[in-house]
């Protein structure tokens, strides 16, 4: 199949091409003179048959990501009142600030990889390199065009630049993903299938020593030895303070709970969100300068826990 691509920049220079892309990797490099990138785009003809379904990987774990058909669309924030969006910061939970949501049938998008499935046969399109920006896949079912774009606007480049590092495979689900992971040189950490229990789906944040012990007792006829028992959200004094427990809920501390879980024959797991912090946390109160800002103001990243902020990993501390 034919893959066409182009790079737009400021100042402008001619950087475009056309490549033959068959199964396996596709690497496109360019020697880019001193400039600031505006967009990096490519496209390939990709017809989706009437009985095919396709999937585009969501931006993050809360992105609704079903299999689509040719008449599907992604609504985004369309139809949600603006005051509701602002109150609960719904627009902070995805890619709404840097990806267009046209709200049209037949136009869908996702990040890093996508597949087209006819029965048990898959066509997988995927990225081999996200170092230079997220790889956005946008599918126009009516034109049968798969657009592929790098989220790199504003990136300053001077010299060799990896325009695209992509991968294509056909086969069963197992075959296409195994070949992609092999191209990424990713080896499975384990072939073991892990089963277990998480306190979140019964109790949400309402956990303490007594409830965790009750849940362990309740799992005795369900879980097997070495299955996972996870204490989920609610053990910490505030989201962002991960170095000690809420002593009112867990007066004996986390080690005592882990020891009990191990004594019951399970592996102990614990939930945390290492980059998030709510406003009342000690971390946020003591280090407000450690967090991501927008126009000089700390950026509220969502409505969970009454609002939370994200650590800026470019701050050395």
């Amino acid at each position: 199949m034919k893959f066409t691509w182009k790079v737009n920049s400021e100042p402008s220079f001619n950087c475009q091409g056309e490549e033959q892309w068959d199964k396996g990797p596709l690497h496109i490099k360019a020697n880019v003179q001193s400039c600031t990138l505006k967009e990096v785009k490519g496209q390939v003809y990709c017809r989706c048959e009437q009985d095919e379904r396709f999937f585009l990987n969501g931006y993050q774990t809360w992105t609704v990501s079903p299999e689509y058909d040719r008449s599907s669309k992604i609504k985004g924030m369309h139809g949600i009142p603006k005051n509701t969006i602002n109150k609960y910061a719904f627009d902070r939970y995805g890619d709404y600030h840097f990806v267009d949501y046209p709200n049209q049938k037949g136009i869908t998008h996702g990040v890093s990889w996508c597949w087209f499935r006819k029965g048990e046969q898959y066509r997988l399109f995927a990225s081999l390199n996200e170092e230079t920006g997220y790889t956005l896949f946008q599918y126009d079912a009516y034109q049968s065009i798969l657009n592929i774009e790098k989220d790199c606007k504003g990136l300053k480049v001077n010299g060799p630049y990896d325009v695209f590092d992509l991968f294509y495979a056909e086969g069963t689900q197992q075959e296409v993903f195994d070949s992609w992971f092999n191209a990424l040189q990713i080896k499975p950490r384990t072939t073991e299938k892990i089963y277990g229990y998480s306190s979140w789906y019964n109790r949400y944040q309402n956990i303490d020593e007594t409830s965790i012990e009750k849940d362990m007792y309740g799992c005795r006829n369900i879980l097997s030895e070495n299955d996972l028992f996870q204490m989920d959200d609610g053990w910490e004094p505030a989201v962002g303070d991960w170095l000690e427990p809420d002593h009112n809920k867990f007066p004996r501390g986390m080690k005592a709970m882990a020891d009990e879980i191990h004594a019951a024959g399970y592996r102990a797991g614990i939930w945390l969100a290492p980059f998030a912090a709510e406003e009342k946390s000690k971390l946020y109160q003591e280090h407000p300068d450690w967090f991501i800002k927008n126009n000089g103001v700390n950026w509220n990243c969502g409505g969970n826990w009454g609002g939370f902020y994200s650590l800026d990993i470019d701050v050395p501390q």
Side-chain angles (χ1 to χ4, degrees), residues 213-231:
E213 287 170 342
K214 284 182 179 179
D215 287 358
M216 269 193 289
Y217 182 78
C219 285
R220 70 194 186 285
N221 294 323
I222 301 171
L223 297 185
S224 301
E225 188 173 1
N226 287 323
D227 281 348
L228 179 67
F229 186 97
Q230 176 170 296
M231 290 177 287

Side-chain angles (χ1 to χ4, degrees), residues 243-264:
L243 301 183
E244 59 179 332
D246 183 330
H247 291 292
N248 292 321
K249 293 181 173 184
F250 296 92
R252 293 184 298 143
M254 288 293 101
K255 184 179 186 307
M257 298 310 300
D259 288 343
E260 276 197 48
I261 294 169
H262 294 153

